[in-house]
Amino acid sequence: MVLLTSRFADGLAVGADLVTAAETAVRQALAGLTAPPDLVCFFICGEDPDEVSRAGLRVMDMTPDASVLGCSATGVIGDGQGVEVTPSVSVWAATLAGARLTTFALDTLRTEDRFVVVGLPERHPDDHAAILFTDPYSFPTDGFVERSKEVLGNLPLIGGLANALRGRGAVRLFADGEVYTEGAVGVLLSGPVNISTVVSQGCRPIGPTMAVTAVEDNLLLELAGQPALARLEEIVSALDEDERDLVASGLQIGVAMDEYAERHERGDFLIRGVLGIDPEREAVAIGDVVEIGRTVRFQVRDAATADEDLYELLDAHREEFGRVDGALLFSCNGRGSAMFGSADHDAVALRDTLGPISVAGFFAAGEVGPVSGHNHVHGFTASVLVFSSHPAVGRPYDR
């Protein structure tokens, strides 16, 4: 089945012969367009990295006049469904009349005391966002994304950490005819194109918001003037049995992004994992470093919460932005069948809420997307880049 649309289309092919699958997926995507594509994104899941490379080269050969970006993955999304750990190719194509598309490849150079990222494109006032795919084994994705504001300003980054069925050394990145075995690739979207982002972290808060009153590196020592572990135990003891099971299966913590908000509810936090406890110091270890004075709130995540969060955010996006034409979806490889029992969940959610649009993407080893105007690397998240017919009033590039 091919979803027909004038400006956006996608194709999906499953099969052990990845080159043939690539040809089929490209033909499906191009058949849905009424004009040649300006941007093509593709995603390949395959066992043999050399065959993945050949399939990627074939996609790029078939779309020589477009800006082309792609990566390997452990699962792909297209044609309204997800395909996990199965040889497959997904292709997404867009006609973006008048848009300026600048592809780039990033590498790192080591200096005496740090890494320097090279290859960034020159910025312009009409830049709207950049799609970014990285090799998590060779590129310092977390550090680059978290500090991107220093060099990219408020430019939103959206995308994911690529992967491969064979893991380290098998990741492949693609950009405009070239195959990369390390680093990062991306495309800068500029000019008359209406885009926005949705980042669903899929958590809900438990217990009260609390100020961090003592901290050491990633150890929370005190929350609201009391030992952090005592605060956590107090919160958990007040939960019902089902919620305690959620805490046991994967407790999270949210760091409030707006310290001046009167209330902090779901969606107002950057979610990070709780890594463990230190009983002797009555401390809680988390997957980030926060400063004294920051506001935090413990969180839980399950399939029902993640489902509700994604649908609510997409519904709100539709109400604010109106008609949507297409989207790219970067979903954590811990979502899909592992979380929802179906690899199709996130792709179906987009079509349920935004309409019968063309959606494609991949299951990522980490997702990149902005929260409250700051770029972050996430886990268990669905990061979505949405293409709309008309710009929204207010904050078009910051959801």
Side-chain angles (χ1 to χ4, degrees):
M1 171 184 173
V2 179
L3 180 66
L4 296 179
T5 176
S6 60
R7 298 178 57 226
F8 298 85
D10 62 278
L12 173 70
V14 178
D17 186 339
L18 287 180
V19 173
T20 298
E23 293 172 346
T24 300
V26 170
R27 292 191 185 103
Q28 288 176 353
L30 297 184
L33 298 177
T34 54
D38 299 300
L39 176 63
V40 172
C41 294
F42 67 92
F43 314 97
I44 303 174
C45 177
E47 180 68 29
D48 183 354
D50 291 334
E51 188 176 4
V52 170
S53 295
R54 288 192 290 272
L57 287 169
R58 184 61 182 137
V59 173
M60 294 186 288
D61 286 344
M62 295 177 69
T63 54
D65 298 323
S67 295
V68 187
L69 198 69
C71 68
S72 60
T74 56
V76 306
I77 298 167
D79 193 25
Q81 61 186 294
V83 180
E84 299 172 316
V85 200
T86 301
S88 51
V89 179
S90 172
V91 175
W92 182 90
T95 300
L96 303 171
R100 189 172 67 257
L101 307 172
T102 307
T103 55
F104 57 87
L106 304 180
D107 201 356
T108 54
L109 300 177
R110 181 186 290 273
T111 65
E112 291 184 359
D113 58 350
R114 60 177 178 168
F115 284 100
V116 176
V117 174
V118 296
L120 286 169
E122 182 180 351
R123 287 294 316 278
H124 297 89
D126 63 347
D127 295 338
H128 298 312
I131 303 170
L132 181 72
F133 306 148
T134 73
D135 171 19
Y137 303 103
S138 66
F139 188 79
T141 310
D142 286 80
F144 172 75
V145 171
E146 296 295 333
R147 301 184 63 180
S148 61
K149 191 169 186 176
E150 297 176 11
V151 291
L152 298 175
N154 292 323
L155 183 76
L157 298 177
I158 192 86
L161 282 65
N163 211 333
L165 294 180
R166 293 187 184 178
R168 181 185 294 271
V171 173
R172 295 293 182 266
L173 306 171
F174 306 91
D176 280 357
E178 298 293 331
V179 181
Y180 299 88
T181 58
E182 57 184 19
V185 297
V187 60
L188 181 62
L189 306 172
S190 311
V193 55
N194 299 318
I195 52 180
S196 53
T197 60
V198 175
V199 178
S200 174
Q201 300 180 86
C203 283
R204 62 179 171 86
I206 57 172
T209 56
M210 297 167 287
V212 176
T213 50
V215 65
E216 181 181 309
D217 296 326
N218 71 323
L219 280 179
L220 300 180
L221 302 177
E222 288 185 4
L223 296 174
Q226 299 295 322
L229 183 55
R231 287 287 188 183
L232 175 57
E233 291 173 341
E234 178 183 320
I235 292 168
V236 173
S237 67
L239 301 176
D240 60 32
E241 184 176 350
D242 290 339
E243 288 182 316
R244 290 180 188 178
D245 289 340
L246 293 180
V247 170
S249 65
L251 181 64
Q252 314 291 318
I253 194 165
V255 182
M257 300 307 295
D258 182 0
E259 290 292 327
Y260 302 101
E262 293 184 5
R263 298 180 62 186
H264 294 98
E265 302 296 339
R266 183 171 67 186
D268 296 329
F269 297 91
L270 173 65
I271 304 300
R272 291 295 184 248
V274 173
L275 305 181
I277 61 174
D278 184 339
E280 291 186 2
R281 304 185 69 182
E282 295 188 87
V284 177
I286 66 173
D288 206 343
V289 176
V290 298
E291 299 175 347
I292 290 177
R294 294 299 298 270
T295 298
V296 298
R297 192 174 184 184
F298 288 106
Q299 313 268 331
V300 292
R301 178 190 282 125
D302 65 350
T305 297
D307 174 85
E308 180 182 337
D309 187 67
L310 180 57
Y311 273 87
E312 285 190 359
L313 287 173
L314 291 172
D315 282 335
H317 182 280
R318 186 191 66 249
E319 292 178 4
E320 180 179 354
F321 287 76
R323 177 181 167 182
V324 170
D325 296 327
L328 287 166
L329 168 62
F330 310 109
S331 184
C332 180
N333 54 21
R335 292 172 67 98
S337 59
M339 177 176 286
F340 302 108
S342 169
D344 306 339
H345 177 274
D346 290 349
V348 170
L350 263 67
R351 291 207 179 166
D352 282 348
T353 54
L354 303 182
I357 63 172
S358 290
V359 178
F362 72 101
F363 291 97
E367 305 74 58
V368 176
V371 174
S372 296
H374 298 273
N375 294 315
H376 299 283
V377 178
H378 308 275
F380 293 94
T381 292
S383 292
V384 189
L385 181 62
V386 183
F387 293 75
S388 303
S389 298
H390 304 287
V393 177
R395 301 177 302 142
Y397 308 114
D398 181 15
R399 281 212 62 82

